[in-house]
Amino acid sequence: MVISVPATSANLGPGFDTLGLALGLYNTFSITPARLSSIHISGEGKERVKLRVDNVFVKIFNDILALHEYPKDNFKFSFHNCIPISRGLGSSSAVIIGAIMSAYHIMQKPINKQEMLNLALHYENHPDNITPALYGGFNIAMLEHTESRTNAKKIPEKNTQVVSFQASLPPEIKAVVVIPNMTISTRYSRRTLPKKYSTKDAVFNLSHACMLSAAFITQKWDLLRAASADRFHQDVRMKSLPVLFNVRKIALEHGALLSTLSGSGSSFLNICYKDDSANLALKLRDEFPKFRVLELDFDNMGACLREL
């Protein structure tokens, strides 16, 4: 089988751990039966020995097979990675979704996307990246906690599931993504965030996240700039890489409708009209020659599988 999973950009400013979208940049996972198991990596991360000796995709894949007591077998895993690693573009979510989808296909066990999404929460406890990776398009995702009494001791067990909404993105807009040559650790950056927020800031982010969602759903792109403002996380995270403030400034001055930190960074997502993308990308390349700048369409399909 071959599975492709798109890159994702989460938060989109005020939608902390809630909003995300899928980009036309993919990791591809190819799995074929083999006499001996092996891992082959090309593209992003090919030089990282750890990805071959302690591969998360293979670990999740084998965990699921073992959970269902599926007979152990050998496979050739070939990974072609186009999603930069540790740059806030959902590379880990692509791995998680790809591994789950491939394991169930190997076992020939039916599983729908909602069930895959809930299973993915065991490996990624925030739904803003895994949801668009699976569904494509623009996504709003929240966690719903329910209680069941199905165990023998009648003790309530908490179950968590993702509740989501997806809207497709039209070809009239494009993403121009700036990828710095430095990383921002998600774990470290979360520790730098405030433990408490004022009511004023909470209302600010709530109102902006609502307006941003409405803008994407109704395709009123003129609302994106104002609606993407944030008081929860962006500026705090960007202080560890101050050049990002200038990336945002330049982008908004040269046609970006929205310019936000992608996930926890260090990549920056800029959305603009299709006709403006080439000029915006050129300007950003001129201003930041050491950074990668990609012009990307949006992905509306999400994770896809095809048999070899």
Side-chain angles (χ1 to χ4, degrees), residues 17 22 25 33 37 51 81 98 112 118 133 152 178 199 216 243 256 263 298 305:
D17 285 352
L25 184 69
S37 290
L51 294 184
N81 301 330
N112 60 40
N118 293 337
V178 178
T199 300
F216 276 109
V243 67
F298 293 101
L305 178 150

Side-chain angles (χ1 to χ4, degrees), residues 104-161:
Y104 276 86
H105 184 71
I106 284 288
M107 295 186 295
Q108 296 186 342
K109 284 184 173 290
I111 183 172
N112 60 40
K113 286 195 170 184
Q114 180 62 55
E115 291 168 331
M116 276 192 272
L117 194 57
N118 293 337
L119 182 55
L121 283 177
H122 291 280
Y123 304 99
E124 170 54 70
N125 59 0
H126 302 112
D128 49 345
N129 274 310
I130 55 175
T131 307
L134 187 60
Y135 286 110
F138 165 77
N139 289 255
I140 307 167
M142 69 178 190
L143 299 181
E144 182 179 53
H145 303 284
T146 59
E147 288 189 353
S148 64
R149 294 178 178 271
T150 56
N151 56 33
K153 295 181 180 181
K154 304 299 181 183
I155 299 173
E157 293 180 338
K158 283 191 175 180
N159 298 311
T160 303
Q161 66 176 0

Side-chain angles (χ1 to χ4, degrees), residues 32-273:
T32 53
R35 187 171 60 87
L36 296 172
S37 290
S38 61
I39 298 173
H40 303 267
I41 300 173
S42 60
E44 299 285 338
K46 65 181 180 181
E47 73 289 346
R48 299 192 181 191
V49 176
K50 186 178 186 298
L51 294 184
R52 290 192 294 274
V53 300
D54 187 27
N55 189 275
V56 174
F57 182 104
V58 175
K59 187 177 292 185
I60 295 173
F61 178 88
N62 287 332
D63 282 351
I64 293 172
L65 296 190
L67 180 66
H68 291 275
E69 300 181 343
Y70 188 81
K72 188 172 178 59
D73 208 343
N74 293 320
F75 299 95
K76 176 184 176 181
F77 297 93
S78 297
F79 305 141
H80 182 63
N81 301 330
C82 292
I83 305 173
I85 298 171
S86 300
R87 293 296 194 280
L89 291 170
S91 61
S92 61
S93 292
V95 167
I96 293 166
I97 294 298
I100 293 171
M101 183 175 282
S102 61
Y104 276 86
H105 184 71
I106 284 288
M107 295 186 295
Q108 296 186 342
K109 284 184 173 290
I111 183 172
N112 60 40
K113 286 195 170 184
Q114 180 62 55
E115 291 168 331
M116 276 192 272
L117 194 57
N118 293 337
L119 182 55
L121 283 177
H122 291 280
Y123 304 99
E124 170 54 70
N125 59 0
H126 302 112
D128 49 345
N129 274 310
I130 55 175
T131 307
L134 187 60
Y135 286 110
F138 165 77
N139 289 255
I140 307 167
M142 69 178 190
L143 299 181
E144 182 179 53
H145 303 284
T146 59
E147 288 189 353
S148 64
R149 294 178 178 271
T150 56
N151 56 33
K153 295 181 180 181
K154 304 299 181 183
I155 299 173
E157 293 180 338
K158 283 191 175 180
N159 298 311
T160 303
Q161 66 176 0
V162 181
V163 179
S164 65
F165 173 89
Q166 189 261 15
S168 294
L169 296 169
E172 70 184 274
I173 57 171
K174 291 192 70 168
V176 177
V177 180
V178 178
I179 306 170
N181 52 4
M182 299 84 83
T183 66
I184 294 178
S185 165
T186 301
R187 185 174 299 178
Y188 170 77
S189 69
R190 276 191 179 268
R191 290 203 298 264
T192 65
L193 298 180
K195 302 301 180 186
K196 295 181 180 180
Y197 296 95
S198 68
T199 300
K200 184 178 180 180
D201 285 347
V203 171
F204 180 95
N205 264 53
L206 179 62
S207 63
H208 282 68
C210 289
M211 188 62 70
L212 187 63
S213 299
F216 276 109
I217 294 166
T218 62
Q219 300 186 7
K220 293 185 177 179
W221 310 124
D222 59 313
L223 295 175
L224 290 181
R225 180 166 181 164
S228 58
D230 162 76
R231 290 185 182 176
F232 272 14
H233 70 104
Q234 279 204 119
D235 287 1
V236 174
R237 283 171 158 163
M238 289 162 62
K239 286 177 182 177
S240 67
L241 197 58
V243 67
L244 295 178
F245 289 98
N246 202 31
V247 170
R248 182 170 63 187
K249 178 177 180 293
I250 296 296
L252 291 173
E253 288 175 350
H254 292 85
L257 299 162
L258 168 152
S259 184
T260 65
L261 193 64
S262 184
S264 62
S266 58
S267 294
F268 231 79
L269 170 70
N270 305 291
I271 297 177
C272 63
Y273 288 114

